[in-house]
Amino acid sequence: MKRLKNIIRNININLRANRRIFWLITVLRVLVVLSMVRAIFNGNYNGAFVCLLSLLLFLVPSLMENGFNIHIPPVFEGSIYLFIYAAEILGEINHFYAAIPGWDTILHTINGFLAAAVGFSMIDLLNRNSKNISLSPFYLAMVAFCFSMTIGVLWEFLEFSADNLLHMDMQKDFIISSIHSVTLDPSHSQHVVHIHDIISTQLTTASGQTYTIDGGYLDIGIIDTMKDLFVNFIGAVCFSTLGYWMLRHKDRYSRAFASNFIWQAVPDETDESNYMLTSDGFTADDDDDSEK
């Protein structure tokens, strides 16, 4: 219990250390609680659970800072909070995924960017704080890219599992007007059958119910999955390129980028303000004149 109280106290201290982040997370928490109350009154208990999950996810950055003794830049931390709110509350509760075209695409692109930042920061922390490891900027950028794409693939696995096991529709369907398939080849000789200009599809169940899909054929999730992975790829490439550029250059622009997105290790004996950007990333500046 004492350890839990210390963790909660440290979380509050971390949030209050930056006034803008404190007010941002406070406003978002209030909005989430209001959404939860509305969902409960409307009998939308799944929505209430999503709100509760969002409140728990809001704790993750502070728990990571407290548990791993790192400093997450305020811009990156605020981006995480806004991403959670946009994905869970606006997307799921307020139906932005259906109401706003491209909402899902925007979030998957941002996810690719932020996930690459996480992967880059983790390996960069190891690179800067280990005497036996010296990784090149290209290697760090490649690891960040691979980490982001892995997160994107795992998320698509989650969506596929939810659709098949829980009968949800996380992998959104698209209506297409043409298909190309060897399954329709009556000779079973792997010849591709091309069907164009489909205007409607009729589905008939074993019980005799019929469903008509106007406009074409219903694609079950594959287009959505590939689109999500592609925009995740774009976000990952963008951050990996910026991360590589940051390590290769030591101008004020790279310093600004690093201070906003790259995590820093904060040893107990060293204040986070003592960190400086070197060719190897951010390292502690001890200002020990006796060694000069």
Side-chain angles (χ1 to χ4, degrees), residues 6-151:
N6 289 334
I7 292 176
I8 295 175
R9 180 177 60 85
N10 290 334
I11 289 175
N12 290 329
I13 292 175
N14 290 338
L15 289 176
R16 292 179 182 273
N18 188 289
R19 187 176 297 274
R20 293 180 179 178
I21 292 298
F22 172 75
W23 283 111
L24 173 63
I25 191 62
T26 299
V27 170
L28 292 180
R29 282 173 174 169
V30 170
L31 293 175
V32 172
V33 170
L34 292 176
S35 297
M36 181 186 295
V37 172
R38 184 186 65 178
I40 293 175
F41 272 104
N42 291 334
N44 182 11
Y45 298 109
N46 288 333
F49 174 77
V50 170
C51 293
L52 179 61
L53 177 63
S54 299
L55 292 175
L56 294 176
L57 290 175
F58 283 158
L59 298 175
V60 171
S62 295
L63 288 174
M64 293 185 65
E65 285 186 313
N66 181 74
F68 297 103
N69 209 18
I70 60 175
H71 169 68
I72 300 178
V75 171
F76 186 81
E77 187 175 358
S79 299
I80 294 176
Y81 295 141
L82 290 173
F83 178 81
I84 294 171
Y85 185 80
E88 300 299 333
I89 305 305
L90 297 181
E92 296 291 345
I93 305 300
N94 294 323
H95 311 298
F96 274 35
Y97 289 125
I100 299 180
W103 186 259
D104 182 64
T105 300
I106 293 172
L107 290 182
H108 275 280
T109 307
I110 296 173
N111 176 74
F113 187 89
L114 295 179
V118 173
F120 188 95
S121 294
M122 290 193 300
I123 196 69
D124 186 50
L125 285 170
L126 178 65
N127 195 41
R128 288 187 278 112
N129 293 278
S130 175
K131 297 180 180 179
N132 301 320
I133 297 178
S134 179
L135 304 176
S136 68
F138 178 79
Y139 187 88
L140 266 67
M142 182 59 64
V143 170
F145 170 79
C146 293
F147 180 85
S148 177
M149 292 305 299
T150 300
I151 295 299

Side-chain angles (χ1 to χ4, degrees), residues 201-213:
T201 307
Q202 188 175 69
L203 305 177
T204 304
T205 67
S207 62
Q209 287 184 302
T210 59
Y211 300 88
T212 300
I213 302 172

